[in-house]
Amino acid sequence: MNPELISAVVGAAIVAWGAFVALRAHRSETRLGVLSGMATATMFVLLIRLITPFGGWADWFVWIWLAGMLAIVVAVFRAALVWPDLPWGAADEKARRTEATGFGFSALLALLIAGALVVPGLFL
C-alpha cells in the first residue's frame, strides 16, 4: 500500500467521524453540549486539513469530503433550530462539569490544530 492511499483512507474516516459527531450534536440537552459537538466537528475538519495533502486527493475522497461537509452544514442548521429551546447548562453539577470539560477539550484541540496550520506559514 502506498502512503497516499493510507492517508486518504484515514482522512475519509476522520471526515465521516466528524460528520457523525456534528449530526449527533443537536440531540444534546444543553447549549454547551451543542457547542461541544460543533467544536469537535470543527477539530476534525481542521485535522483533515493538517494531515491530508490537497494535491493528492483522489476523486473518491473529494466526494467523501463534500458529503461530510454537507452533513456538517445540515447539522449546524439542525442545531440552530433547537438552540433557542435549550438551557445553557445542565441542572446537575456533575453533568455541568462534564459538559464544560468536553467543550474545553474540543476547543483546545481545535485551537492547537489551527495553530499547527498557521504557525509554520509565519516562518516561511
Side-chain angles (χ1 to χ4, degrees):
M1 294 187 113
N2 60 7
E4 292 85 16
L5 178 63
I6 293 172
S7 175
V9 169
V10 169
I14 292 173
V15 167
W17 184 255
F20 173 72
V21 168
L23 286 172
R24 203 175 49 157
H26 82 281
R27 296 182 185 160
S28 180
E29 296 180 10
T30 63
R31 290 181 180 180
L32 198 56
V34 171
L35 287 175
S36 177
M38 291 299 149
T40 302
T42 303
M43 177 196 61
F44 282 127
V45 169
L46 290 172
L47 186 63
I48 285 300
R49 176 60 187 102
L50 183 64
I51 66 170
T52 307
F54 278 112
W57 284 23
D59 291 335
W60 64 271
F61 184 78
V62 172
W63 288 110
I64 291 175
W65 169 260
L66 289 174
M69 293 305 104
L70 179 66
I72 290 173
V73 167
V74 168
V76 168
F77 178 74
R78 291 168 75 182
L81 289 178
V82 299
W83 183 268
D85 300 330
L86 296 176
W88 269 103
D92 182 31
E93 180 66 31
K94 185 176 180 183
R96 190 174 23 236
R97 198 171 339 137
T98 302
E99 284 178 341
T101 303
F103 177 62
F105 182 72
S106 296
L108 178 67
L109 281 178
L111 185 65
L112 288 174
I113 293 169
L117 289 169
V118 172
V119 171
L122 295 175
F123 296 111
L124 293 177

